[in-house]
């Protein structure tokens, strides 16, 4: 089957291995170095601020469980269509486990920092980096990364377009001091790197010309000051994104309540009215009871409330046809939550963004992380042969010799770091404290 082919051209199947292709994809992701590093990368609250909140790793594990549950739910709700689409629990688990492995240290702050440093060399974006890791960088094969199946790679394409197709026509002015960087102006376009166009072409190879064109359609084109945006994704990517959104909107709310970043008065002042408006639309939904359970101080009541929110959102999901006419059924359908449930989830996400992510203490950590990433990039770009580790240095020199994008190698190196490792390297390079003697 063409969607279970691997770009390496070989199955690498070991003797007596009875796993399905998607189960093997899941194992390759789960055992990868990129996945392990998620344990020390920021999800919403920075690693080390508290010992309770999710990291990128635990978030990905929870998203994986929700993704598998969505497949079970959709298979029960649309049995014939689910069978036609061959929806797979291991496939969705794979997608959710892998969806964040391209995110750099220090969350979206690190992403903006790398995008600025790569501004003249293709930019940086977390989803694009995920695709790059699984198709090229992870050392499972010599040339094709994890050598995942084509359908798994298709499912990882949240934004199946190249950056050059949607990047704003004019970049903001460069800064002379990193501390003056206006970060909101340097948000990256949601896209794949032009450097990785060959890998994208391979994934889309089975599609008809018309399907490729429609699949890469844009919601809106780029303008002089704004990025364009892609319109579509495959059914698997659509389910993965729903699982990610549910995990983010609900579980990160739990974290923020437990560590005290969200107080009851914030919730009642800025969220309670919106919840009350949904009571008529959602069966057995009571805004007052939800508030009491979340903020009563009872751990089991809060946990039940969080689980109830996840269940409510998940079980509202259904499969709908897109407005396009595709030859490939994997592109024809998308998952959608119920109308009221979608409003509920968006309200939760916006509340978290405003009252957690944008809090000054969180933004201070993001700012610090941005400075670390930009200063590390600058010094590594000036002294690559001196400061890069041996394997990375060789990759840099190879790219340089063949006229490739050598700075992409530095971007790969930095984006793979955990928060702690980046901070440690920064300390080693820039600390004014006296270094310890090698003979001590």
């Amino acid at each position: 089957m063409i969607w279970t082919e691997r770009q390496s051209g070989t199955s690498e199947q070991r003797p007596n291995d009875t796993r399905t292709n998607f189960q093997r994809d899941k194992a390759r992701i789960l055992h990868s170095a990129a996945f392990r590093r998620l344990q020390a990368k920021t999800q919403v609250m920075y690693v080390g601020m508290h010992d309770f909140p999710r990291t990128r790793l635990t978030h990905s594990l929870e998203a994986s469980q929700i993704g598998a549950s969505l497949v079970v739910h959709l298979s029960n709700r649309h049995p014939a269509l689910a069978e036609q689409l061959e929806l797979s629990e291991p496939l969705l688990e794979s997608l959710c486990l892998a969806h964040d492995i391209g995110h750099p240290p220090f969350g979206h702050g690190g992403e903006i920092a790398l995008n600025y440093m790569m501004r003249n060399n293709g930019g940086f974006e977390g989803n694009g980096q995920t695709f790059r890791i699984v198709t090229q960088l992870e050392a499972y094969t010599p040339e094709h990364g994890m050598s995942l199946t084509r359908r798994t790679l298709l499912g990882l394409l949240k934004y199946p377009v190249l950056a050059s197709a949607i990047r704003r026509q004019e970049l903001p002015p460069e800064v002379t001091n990193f501390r003056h960087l206006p970060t909101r102006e340097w948000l990256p376009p949601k896209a794949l790197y032009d450097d990785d166009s060959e890998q994208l072409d391979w994934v889309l190879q089975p599609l008809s010309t018309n399907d490729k064109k429609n699949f890469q359609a844009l919601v809106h084109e780029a303008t002089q000051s704004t990025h364009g945006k892609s319109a579509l994704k495959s059914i698997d990517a659509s389910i993965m994104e729903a699982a990610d959104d549910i995990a983010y909107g609900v579980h990160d709310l739990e974290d923020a309540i437990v560590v005290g970043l969200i107080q009851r008065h914030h919730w009642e002042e800025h969220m309670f009215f919106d919840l009350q408006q949904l009571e008529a639309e959602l069966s057995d939904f009571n805004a007052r009871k939800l508030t009491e359970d979340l903020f009563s101080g009872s751990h089991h009541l809060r946990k039940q409330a969080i689980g109830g929110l996840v269940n409510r959102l998940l079980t509202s999901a259904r499969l709908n046809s897109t407005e396009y006419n595709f030859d490939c059924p994997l592109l024809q359908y998308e998952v959608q939550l119920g109308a009221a449930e979608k409003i509920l989830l968006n309200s939760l996400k916006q509340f978290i963004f405003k009252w957690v992510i944008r809090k000054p203490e969180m933004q201070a950590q993001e700012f610090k992380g941005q400075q670390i990433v930009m200063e590390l990039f600058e010094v590594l770009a000036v002294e690559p042969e001196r400061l890069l580790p041996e394997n990375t240095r060789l990759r840099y020199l190879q790219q340089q010799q063949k006229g490739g994008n050598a700075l992409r190698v530095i971007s790969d190196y930095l984006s793979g770091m955990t928060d702690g490792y980046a901070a440690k390297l920064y300390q080693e390079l820039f600390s004014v404290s006296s270094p310890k003697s090698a003979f001590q």
Side-chain angles (χ1 to χ4, degrees):
M1 180 182 174
I2 199 165
W3 290 109
T4 55
E5 288 179 354
R6 302 178 188 275
Q7 195 174 10
S8 61
T10 58
S11 66
E12 299 103 13
Q13 189 159 355
R14 298 182 176 94
N16 304 314
D17 187 350
T18 58
R19 295 173 299 169
T20 67
N21 278 293
F22 299 138
Q23 287 171 332
R24 290 162 61 205
D25 281 354
K26 178 184 173 182
R28 294 181 187 191
I29 293 163
L30 195 61
H31 294 287
S32 68
F35 181 74
R36 286 195 301 278
R37 292 190 184 106
L38 295 179
Q39 66 186 303
K41 288 193 178 187
T42 292
Q43 166 60 12
V44 169
M45 276 162 270
Y46 284 79
V47 175
M49 290 181 73
H50 302 277
D51 62 0
F52 177 86
R54 276 85 176 168
T55 63
R56 287 272 179 195
L57 181 72
T58 55
H59 160 74
S60 297
L61 291 170
E62 290 175 334
S64 176
Q65 184 272 323
I66 294 172
S69 297
L70 278 166
V71 170
V72 173
H73 166 72
L74 293 169
S75 297
N76 287 325
R77 186 165 189 167
H78 309 277
L81 184 53
E83 184 176 359
Q84 177 194 349
L85 295 172
E86 298 184 76
L87 297 184
S88 162
E89 290 178 58
L91 170 59
L92 260 297
E93 289 171 337
S94 297
L95 299 180
C96 293
L97 290 173
H99 81 282
D100 269 353
I101 62 175
H103 279 273
F106 308 111
H108 289 291
E111 182 180 48
I112 291 169
L114 281 175
N115 185 50
Y116 177 73
M117 300 308 291
M118 290 292 291
R119 61 194 177 278
N120 298 318
N121 292 276
F124 179 89
E125 198 272 332
N127 297 284
Q129 190 68 19
T130 293
F131 184 73
R132 183 169 174 81
I133 288 170
V134 298
T135 57
Q136 296 176 75
L137 300 182
E138 188 65 37
Y140 192 89
T141 64
E143 297 179 348
H144 301 294
M146 297 184 196
S147 190
L148 303 177
T149 60
R150 184 184 262 117
R151 179 161 176 175
T152 297
L153 294 178
L154 181 72
L156 286 172
L157 298 180
K158 286 180 68 174
Y159 312 102
V161 295
L162 295 176
S164 58
I166 64 166
R167 193 178 191 182
R168 56 186 289 177
Q169 296 161 7
E170 184 176 316
L171 293 178
E174 297 181 3
V175 296
T176 55
N177 187 317
F178 292 150
R179 294 181 183 180
H180 299 163
L181 185 72
T183 55
R184 304 310 292 176
E185 293 184 20
W186 285 96
L187 291 168
K190 299 294 186 182
L192 305 178
Y193 308 138
D194 286 58
D195 291 337
D196 303 332
S197 60
E198 182 181 335
Q199 287 70 32
L200 175 62
D201 289 343
W202 183 83
V203 175
L204 302 184
Q205 182 183 326
L207 302 180
S208 66
T209 301
N210 186 63
D211 275 8
K212 284 182 188 177
K213 179 182 176 182
N214 287 339
F215 186 49
Q216 296 182 299
L218 304 182
V219 175
H220 56 81
E221 302 277 347
T223 68
Q224 189 170 358
S225 59
T226 60
H227 300 308
K229 184 179 179 181
S230 62
L232 297 170
K233 51 185 66 69
S234 72
I235 180 57
D236 301 317
S238 177
I239 297 172
M240 177 262 285
E241 186 174 48
D244 183 29
D245 283 349
I246 292 170
Y248 163 69
V250 179
H251 291 141
D252 291 339
L253 170 67
E254 179 185 16
D255 284 352
I257 291 172
V258 170
V259 303
L261 281 172
I262 292 176
Q263 303 292 334
R264 181 167 183 157
H265 65 88
H266 286 133
W267 177 268
E268 292 185 334
E269 184 177 352
H270 301 285
M271 190 69 183
F272 189 73
F273 177 78
D274 291 345
L275 294 176
Q276 281 188 311
Q277 299 301 108
L278 290 170
E279 287 183 336
E281 306 293 328
L282 297 170
S283 62
D284 300 321
F285 182 73
N286 185 293
R288 175 56 59 191
K289 184 178 187 311
L290 175 64
T291 300
E292 291 295 335
D293 289 348
L294 289 175
F295 293 95
S296 68
S298 168
H299 294 299
H300 78 272
L301 287 178
R302 183 177 59 246
K303 183 60 71 176
Q304 288 296 320
I306 292 295
L309 283 172
V310 171
N311 181 71
R312 180 179 294 278
L313 296 168
L314 190 157
T315 55
S316 76
R318 60 189 183 276
L319 293 172
N320 285 341
S321 179
T322 70
E323 62 187 49
Y324 295 86
N325 291 317
F326 285 104
D327 299 319
C328 178
L330 297 180
L331 310 184
Q332 186 63 56
Y333 297 93
E334 61 184 0
V335 68
Q336 290 186 350
L337 303 185
E341 287 83 1
K342 187 174 182 179
I343 293 172
L344 172 61
L345 180 56
N346 286 337
S347 296
L348 291 171
K349 289 166 61 180
Q350 290 167 13
F351 182 81
I352 295 243
F353 181 78
K354 182 174 183 180
W355 294 105
V356 179
I357 294 174
R358 300 302 292 175
K359 269 182 174 285
E361 55 264 46
M362 301 295 288
Q363 288 301 300
Q365 293 295 319
E366 182 173 299
F367 176 81
K368 182 165 67 173
Q370 283 176 333
Q371 303 308 305
I372 289 173
V373 171
M374 288 188 285
E375 292 197 41
L376 285 176
F377 191 104
E378 182 179 53
V379 73
L380 291 173
V382 170
E383 294 274 16
E385 295 187 51
R386 185 181 180 190
L387 297 174
L388 289 175
E390 181 65 14
N391 287 341
T392 307
R393 184 179 71 84
L394 290 175
R395 284 185 56 230
Y396 180 90
L397 292 175
Q398 288 168 359
Q399 282 296 316
Q400 200 173 49
Q401 288 166 5
K402 65 181 183 182
N405 188 355
L407 288 180
R408 178 64 67 193
V409 176
I410 295 177
S411 173
D412 291 340
Y413 175 54
L414 277 172
S415 69
M417 294 180 182
T418 63
D419 296 17
Y421 187 86
K424 179 176 177 287
L425 180 59
Y426 181 89
Q427 185 77 4
E428 290 175 353
L429 291 174
F430 300 113
S431 174
V432 296
S433 60
S434 299
K436 291 183 179 180
S437 168
F439 300 100
Q440 287 181 345

